[in-house]
Amino acid sequence: MYKVAGKVFLIVTDDPDEQIITVKCEPEHARARVHGYASITPGRYLDKQHWISLGPGPGITKRLVTDAVEDSYDLAVERLPGRNRPRAR
């Protein structure tokens, strides 16, 4: 589990046979990604509107995963009070 100022933005499975990450996502982007990729599903065990899970499969690229993680981090930071926000990365 990865956090920024106590807010979770990334969950990585521990099981090497099931390589899945779960990230925060704006609801409209989450719906588009879930419909656009068979390997992206609503977040496991989390709010299905605000979290998505990505697994290996067709169309899942390193760039897509990187963008999803960076977007999730940015969403978590946006919701922090200004005094708790980390400096620009």
Side-chain angles (χ1 to χ4, degrees), residues 13-28:
T13 57
D14 291 335
D15 185 349
D17 294 330
E18 189 176 39
Q19 298 175 343
I20 294 172
I21 66 165
T22 302
V23 294
K24 280 183 170 283
C25 192
E26 290 287 351
E28 58 277 359

Side-chain angles (χ1 to χ4, degrees), residues 38-52:
S39 316
I40 299 179
T41 59
R44 289 182 164 195
Y45 316 114
L46 298 164
D47 180 334
K48 305 294 187 214
Q49 285 188 328
H50 297 278
W51 290 85
I52 55 173

